[in-house]
Amino acid sequence: MHKYLPRFWWDLFNRCYVLGCFPTVWKVARLITIPKADKSKHRSVEGFRGISLLSIPGKFLENIVIGRLNHFLATNGHIATIQFGFTAGRTADAIKTVTKSVENIRKRNQKCCLLALAIAGAFDNACHPVILKQLRKIKWPQKRTAW
């Protein structure tokens, strides 16, 4: 297909992006279950970890949208300097920031406590209308343009 229509996928993904369309068939995922280490729980749902595999075109379109959103946020100053999660290449920065903070506190002979939270299903449980409202507030372009 690429030999005869080399721009097909490029044009299709751009058209989906410009129209704000994510084809329903691309949203269908294949569920893979992976058993957890604790075999005593294998008779219940809690004994397995589920992974949803999107179709290849769905995954590509998802990555295009994420890439363009991240580009917009970064180039318009909407990503805080202390944002480490969901930001590529920032894990080492997070560790350095925590380490430096602890060292500074110790130099002042003070005590500190570190609390780390991992929120399971954070995005799945996020209030999407509020996220969309915030995107409109920072002027995420309603009219998307192709790349």
Side-chain angles (χ1 to χ4, degrees), residues 20 33 58 69-70 74 76 88 98 107 125 130 135 137 144:
T33 56
L69 177 59
N70 283 336
N76 289 283
V98 169
K107 284 178 185 175
N125 295 301
V130 172
L135 287 173
K137 184 177 176 182
R144 297 160 189 90

Side-chain angles (χ1 to χ4, degrees), residues 18-129:
V18 168
L19 295 174
C21 171
F22 197 113
T24 304
V25 69
W26 292 356
K27 295 177 187 179
V28 175
R30 180 172 177 217
L31 178 65
I32 306 293
T33 56
I34 300 173
K36 292 182 180 176
D38 186 353
K39 293 183 181 189
S40 68
K41 294 183 179 180
H42 286 182
R43 293 190 179 268
S44 70
V45 175
E46 289 83 23
F48 296 86
R49 178 167 284 110
I51 298 175
S52 298
L53 302 175
L54 277 180
S55 66
I56 292 172
K59 205 65 186 156
F60 269 106
L61 184 56
E62 177 185 272
N63 283 322
I64 288 168
V65 172
I66 290 168
R68 292 178 185 186
L69 177 59
N70 283 336
H71 176 76
F72 171 81
L73 294 173
T75 57
N76 289 283
H78 294 297
I79 297 179
T81 56
I82 60 169
Q83 172 69 37
F84 299 112
F86 303 102
T87 309
R90 296 292 318 270
T91 303
D93 294 338
I95 294 168
K96 287 176 189 174
T97 300
V98 169
T99 303
K100 189 174 182 177
S101 295
V102 170
E103 287 172 354
N104 289 335
I105 290 168
R106 284 187 171 171
K107 284 178 185 175
R108 295 190 307 260
N109 283 330
Q110 295 178 324
K111 294 181 181 181
C112 66
C113 176
L114 173 65
L115 174 64
L117 298 175
I119 302 173
F123 186 76
D124 296 336
N125 295 301
C127 185
H128 295 111

